[in-house]
Amino acid sequence: VDPNDSSCSFQTRSKILRNFTVVGSTFRTCAQTILFRHVVFTSVDSASRLIGTLEASTTLGRHVKSIRIAAAPILSEEEDEPVMLQKMKLDFLPALLGLCEPTMLRISGLGEVQDLELYSLLQSSPSLTDISISDSWLRVDSSRRKETDFSASRLRRIYLSEVSLFKVIMADEDPANYENLFTPLSTIPTFVSFALTYPSLYSHLNLEDSAQHNLSPLVALLPQLLCLSSTTQTLDATPSTLTTQPLLFLDCFASILDPISIRRLPSTLQVLRLNVTQQQDSGIPAELVNALKCWRAEALTELWVPFEWEQEEEMVEIEKWCKERGVWLVKEVWEGDEEDRVFDDPFWGISDGILRKVEDERRSGV
């Protein structure tokens, strides 16, 4: 079995590679370079062992391409009791990132852990190109934000889903203003893709959930974005400058589009992915068909819609609209739990294709 074969499961490849390490020094060296490419751990103990290994063998660190941190579930003795996620402190993360140069960092399920600060993370590991954080707390320290230099950062994408943003504010700041949380990202030339879905917003002066705060204005504060995923409930507060932005991919709720708001979408948009809110039914919003008819969609090549719309009467009109404009209609099947629905793999897949295309055009001088 080829350990590089993507058709093998992660567990199978890992077992094969571990067996290679005990055959001999030649096999061990070859296996370790592959075995350490994608590192996954679920506890502080496993992280400590990994740090010890990287410190003892410094050459291994350069082979680490991605790190995934996911809290291990604590199984209840009572069947009726819910499964709780282990709380895991991330004090070890700076040391770990200092021993390797990963391009991808994924963190999920850490709950109320407040020792993860966005701009410290970016500064400690400039090699990171992709960051995904879900179901965890994330601090944003305003004072650090102003003194941090991101000129060495290679960051391209940030994906934040169901994240509790804990804003540490300065004395002269308005604790209710969350719109400038991410403006420092505009100083990173390579940063072009951003997802912010189902956030909860807090500050140390206001511990009440502010999830309904409208984050639309942040789009205009990140003018270099090519890909955006957002669960904002309205485009009403979006500045008119949105129409002049170079967005190529937008992932949003179908309910925010009406004949007026759809005209604010950038003329550069190539892919539009529509979703339904967790609160509304899965039907096609009443104004969506009329909204599409009011939209010129000059550059659109793909329209993604939920598969459950297939039986809706309005779907005939949407199919007709796509056919007339040569737009590929994708009916997306969601395979996860409905109550746990977030934007994930499709966002990464579509944005991967968009960014590859942009890079190819840049290299060819288009």
Side-chain angles (χ1 to χ4, degrees), residues 204-366:
H204 71 279
L205 298 179
N206 178 17
L207 296 180
E208 295 186 4
D209 187 355
S210 302
Q212 298 304 316
H213 186 82
N214 195 325
L215 289 176
S216 294
L218 73 83
V219 179
L221 300 176
L222 297 173
Q224 77 276 39
L225 286 182
L226 300 180
C227 306
L228 173 67
S229 178
S230 174
T231 52
T232 183
Q233 298 284 354
T234 177
L235 282 177
D236 291 346
T238 302
S240 59
T241 51
L242 175 61
T243 59
T244 62
Q245 288 189 296
L247 270 183
L248 301 179
F249 167 41
L250 177 63
D251 187 343
C252 66
F253 286 142
S255 57
I256 70 174
L257 298 178
D258 57 40
I260 296 177
S261 64
I262 201 168
R263 296 177 183 178
R264 300 178 183 175
L265 297 181
S267 60
T268 54
L269 202 62
Q270 297 179 6
V271 182
L272 176 62
R273 178 172 180 245
L274 300 178
N275 293 272
V276 294
T277 65
Q278 293 175 324
Q279 292 80 22
Q280 75 181 47
D281 59 43
S282 59
I284 299 175
E287 293 192 311
L288 179 60
V289 173
N290 289 333
L292 290 175
K293 292 179 180 179
C294 296
W295 185 32
R296 297 179 63 182
E298 298 170 349
L300 194 71
T301 59
E302 297 179 26
L303 176 64
W304 289 56
V305 299
F307 182 79
E308 51 263 36
W309 287 4
E310 175 69 27
Q311 304 303 320
E312 299 286 329
E313 293 182 4
E314 297 89 341
M315 195 63 201
V316 175
E317 293 295 322
I318 294 177
E319 291 174 342
K320 179 181 178 182
W321 182 87
C322 290
K323 185 176 181 180
E324 290 175 349
R325 287 161 179 77
V327 174
W328 181 34
L329 180 62
V330 182
K331 300 171 184 177
E332 180 183 354
V333 178
W334 176 254
E335 298 178 347
D337 296 330
E338 189 63 31
E339 63 271 13
D340 190 37
R341 182 168 186 161
V342 295
F343 309 151
D344 194 4
D345 290 342
F347 174 79
W348 289 103
I350 297 172
S351 62
D352 270 337
I354 291 286
L355 298 184
R356 280 197 301 268
K357 182 179 179 181
V358 170
E359 181 61 21
D360 290 343
E361 290 177 349
R362 185 190 66 81
R363 290 176 178 174
S364 62
V366 176

Side-chain angles (χ1 to χ4, degrees), residues 23 34-35 69 76 83 95 105 160 185 189 258 307 330-331 333:
V23 172
I34 303 173
L35 194 60
I69 305 171
S76 172
V83 174
L105 175 64
L160 304 177
L185 299 176
D258 57 40
F307 182 79
V330 182
K331 300 171 184 177
V333 178

Side-chain angles (χ1 to χ4, degrees), residues 45-64:
D45 289 341
S46 58
S48 299
R49 290 195 296 271
L50 174 62
I51 290 174
T53 300
L54 295 178
E55 288 177 336
S57 185
T58 55
T59 59
L60 286 178
R62 69 172 183 266
H63 299 297
V64 177

Side-chain angles (χ1 to χ4, degrees), residues 107-111 113 116 118 131-140 158-166 181-182 194-202 209-211 215 231 342:
I107 298 175
S108 60
L110 299 190
V113 177
L116 180 63
L118 176 61
I131 296 176
S132 173
I133 302 175
S134 59
D135 192 21
S136 303
W137 281 70
L138 178 65
R139 286 192 303 112
V140 182
I158 290 183
Y159 176 88
L160 304 177
S161 180
E162 297 190 2
V163 169
S164 296
L165 297 171
F166 188 84
L181 284 179
F182 304 106
F194 186 52
L196 182 63
T197 64
Y198 306 108
S200 297
L201 305 172
Y202 306 85
D209 187 355
S210 302
L215 289 176
T231 52
V342 295

Side-chain angles (χ1 to χ4, degrees), residues 98-148:
L99 292 169
C100 53
E101 295 185 354
T103 57
M104 175 70 176
L105 175 64
R106 297 183 64 182
I107 298 175
S108 60
L110 299 190
E112 297 182 11
V113 177
Q114 298 182 26
D115 56 352
L116 180 63
E117 202 280 317
L118 176 61
Y119 299 117
S120 298
L121 178 62
L122 292 178
Q123 191 175 38
S124 64
S125 187
S127 65
L128 287 173
T129 61
D130 301 287
I131 296 176
S132 173
I133 302 175
S134 59
D135 192 21
S136 303
W137 281 70
L138 178 65
R139 286 192 303 112
V140 182
D141 191 332
S142 297
S143 60
R144 280 198 60 87
R145 187 182 68 215
K146 292 183 178 181
E147 65 187 29
T148 304

